[in-house]
Every structure is written in structure tokens, then in C-alpha cells.
Amino acid sequence: MLPFREAFEWLDANLPGTLYLRDAQYGFTVLLTLHVVSMCLFFGLIIMMDLRLVGVANLGTRPAEIQQRLFPWQMFGFGLVCISGGLLFWSDPLRYQGKLYFWIKMGLMGLSGLNAMAIHFITHGSEAAWDSKAARVAGTVSLVLWAGVLVTGRLVAYEWLTYE
Ligand code: HEM
């Protein structure tokens, strides 16, 4: 049994609009499409940043400039991904409570957030810090963690590792 069952049962019974989102002909489908499109925007921009950190691409542009240009769009993409993902969750909280892949995905997102903070602290001191070993490691970790979010997000749709 996965945690917080009672809290999720309460959400399932009390969240307004849950039944509508779950049963509307296009509700879930439209949200999932929005989730995938915004995820492409967000993850694509994260990859551009991370490849610079790892030292593989965008080497001709100053890292601070890349960061300045990409960050607002990354945050925009992340906002859309959270809103669409949150609404998908809203459509059937009890279903997701029983899915281990959903919890793993949330955990990996938390770790990615911590790693993003680490990148900020590593690089904010100087331009040279962007080309340090620590920055390369943090960029690699970021790519691995976000790819993990992608894979586990996709696997949520199936019945593997699903518990009542
Ligand atoms: C607050 C943040 C997020 C929440 C609450 C959330 C929640 C969800 C939910 C409920 C689903 C539907 C699962 C299903 O029943 O099939 C889903 C699908 C998915 N999510 Fe998220 N998500 C979030 C962020 C992200 C991020 C940041 C990524 C990747 C960068 C991501 C990648 C995916 C993928 C790949 C799918 C599967 C799409 C498909 O079935 O084709 N999600 N998400």
C-alpha cells in the first residue's frame, strides 16, 4: 500500500470538477496534449542549457547570456507543465495515489529542483565557474534526472507497479 491513501480518498471525493475532467469527452485528452507540448518546450530548453554546462554544445555563446535568454522561457514551460500536470492529477487523485511511477516521478522532480539550486550556487560566482568540473557534473545529473522524469511520466499510463 502506498502512502497517504486516506488523504487521496478525501481529495477524490471533495475536489470540485474531478468527475467532469475524468468523464468529459475531451477533458483528459486535451490536458495530456497540453502537458506533452509544454513538456517539450520546457525539457528542450533545459537540454540546451545542460549541454552548455556539460561542454558539448553552444560553446560559442557566453553561458550568462544563454542563461539570461533561456531562463524566462524555461519558467514559462515549467509553469504550463505544472498547471496541465496538476489538472491531470486533479482528474483522478486516487488512481495516481496507487501508482509507484507517479511517486518516483515526483521524487525525481524534487531531486531535479535541488540539482538546479546546486547549479545556481556553482555558477553564480564567476564566468569561469561555468566551465568547472562541478558544473559539468551538475549538468550531467540534470540531464539524467529530467530524462528519468520523462520516462517515469510515460510509464504512469500503464498498470505496472500499480497498487490499490
Ligand atoms: C507538477 C508537475 C507535474 C505533474 C503534477 C504531472 C502529472 C502528470 C500526470 C497526472 C500525467 C498523466 C499520467 C497518465 O495517467 O497517463 C502525466 C503524464 C506525463 N508527464 Fe507529467 N506531471 C508534471 C510534470 C512533468 C514534467 C516536468 C515532465 C517532464 C519533463 C513530465 C512528463 C510527463 C510525461 C512524459 C507524461 C506521459 C505523457 C503520455 O502519456 O504520453 N511531467 N504527468
Side-chain angles (χ1 to χ4, degrees):
M1 164 95 93
L2 295 171
F4 311 121
R5 183 75 185 176
E6 279 173 18
F8 278 66
E9 277 170 0
W10 186 89
L11 288 176
D12 196 64
N14 292 290
L15 282 182
T18 289
L19 277 180
Y20 172 76
L21 282 179
R22 200 182 307 165
D23 296 338
Q25 190 173 6
Y26 299 116
F28 191 88
T29 339
V30 168
L31 285 174
L32 194 54
T33 306
L34 179 63
H35 196 55
V36 172
V37 171
S38 46
M39 179 207 329
C40 290
L41 171 69
F42 170 67
F43 192 50
L45 295 172
I46 291 288
I47 289 177
M48 286 174 72
M49 187 75 243
D50 286 347
L51 289 183
R52 175 63 183 86
L53 276 171
V54 175
V56 169
N58 303 320
L59 300 179
T61 314
R62 281 177 49 245
E65 193 182 332
I66 300 181
Q67 158 74 8
Q68 205 179 9
R69 289 189 179 196
L70 294 189
F71 187 71
W73 292 102
Q74 287 170 341
M75 288 300 99
F76 177 67
F78 189 64
L80 286 182
V81 124
C82 287
I83 292 169
S84 53
L87 287 171
L88 286 168
F89 167 80
W90 190 297
S91 74
D92 206 345
L94 213 46
R95 175 165 170 262
Y96 295 115
Q97 188 275 339
K99 287 187 166 280
L100 188 54
Y101 280 123
F102 176 78
W103 292 104
I104 297 175
K105 174 180 164 178
M106 292 298 128
L108 289 174
M109 278 181 51
L111 291 178
S112 300
L114 291 177
N115 189 57
M117 284 166 67
I119 290 175
H120 174 73
F121 285 113
I122 291 167
T123 58
H124 88 288
S126 71
E127 284 274 327
W130 286 86
D131 291 307
S132 62
K133 189 171 178 205
R136 272 198 296 283
V137 170
T140 310
V141 170
S142 172
L143 286 168
V144 171
L145 287 175
W146 283 116
V149 173
L150 220 71
V151 170
T152 48
R154 188 70 268 277
L155 291 177
V156 170
Y158 304 99
E159 296 311 311
W160 303 328
L161 302 184
T162 298
Y163 305 92
E164 285 303 310

